[in-house]
Amino acid sequence: MKNLSLLRYTLYLFVLPLVSCSNKDEDASPMSTSHNVAVHVTGENLLPKLGANLQIYATQRRDGVVTSTLIAQKNYTGSIDTTYTLGTLAGMNALHTDAVSVRTLFLGCGAGGYIPPADSKLTASIIVDGKTTMSVTLDQSQKGTYVTNDLFLTGSILQELHKL
């Protein structure tokens, strides 16, 4: 009789995991959240020798493989106030996500080089679902969050959509 009980418990140990797995959803893919994304750029007194430049990249990360695509690259003089609509992008998790990165440059200003005039500035903002999530400004102070001053005066921001 003891051998029959032992056999029954052994069978339960093998069958129980199979039964518990049968209740899982058929689609185990990560949930996706879509976001409407745009980049708004403003600038004033952008003299030609500043070399004001904007670069917008869309980045996709799929199972550890990262692909970046240049969406727009513009040079500015004078003033600018425009919005670039990137459309709908998705944020899922750290392995499957879309991101937007923006880089602003004053190509004529590097460490120890030309200093922008007091009334010159270039600002780029990432807008997700109608709200500004990140922003960077290049100006005479040559300082600030996301600003570096080495070969060029550079401002860089990155918004990973799965972190919203």
Side-chain angles (χ1 to χ4, degrees), residues 75-132:
N75 294 313
Y76 303 112
T77 56
S79 63
I80 183 71
D81 185 357
T82 192
T83 300
Y84 299 94
T85 302
L86 305 183
T88 303
L89 300 176
M92 294 172 251
N93 59 41
L95 291 178
H96 297 78
T97 192
D98 290 339
V100 176
S101 63
V102 178
R103 202 166 99 167
T104 54
L105 301 158
F106 279 172
L107 298 171
C109 304
Y114 178 72
I115 296 174
D119 57 351
S120 292
K121 75 176 179 179
L122 178 63
T123 300
S125 302
I126 297 175
I127 302 167
V128 179
D129 298 328
K131 297 178 183 171
T132 299

Side-chain angles (χ1 to χ4, degrees), residues 28-33 59-65 90-99 160-163:
S29 63
M31 295 299 291
S32 174
T33 304
T59 303
Q60 290 185 328
R61 185 181 311 145
R62 300 291 184 263
D63 296 320
V65 177
M92 294 172 251
N93 59 41
L95 291 178
H96 297 78
T97 192
D98 290 339
E160 293 179 289
L161 299 177
H162 73 280
K163 293 184 177 180

Side-chain angles (χ1 to χ4, degrees), residues 5-6 21 36 41 59 61 67 73-74 87-88 95 110 113 122 131 145:
S5 260
L6 185 59
C21 288
N36 291 315
V41 182
T59 303
R61 185 181 311 145
T67 306
Q73 180 169 352
K74 303 286 182 182
T88 303
L95 291 178
L122 178 63
K131 297 178 183 171
T145 307

Side-chain angles (χ1 to χ4, degrees), residues 16-53:
L16 188 60
L18 294 174
V19 171
S20 68
C21 288
S22 67
N23 292 334
K24 287 188 178 178
D25 292 337
E26 292 295 318
D27 184 17
S29 63
M31 295 299 291
S32 174
T33 304
S34 295
H35 298 282
N36 291 315
V37 181
V39 174
H40 184 76
V41 182
T42 59
E44 304 170 354
N45 196 26
L46 300 172
L47 304 174
K49 62 182 171 182
L50 284 175
N53 183 276

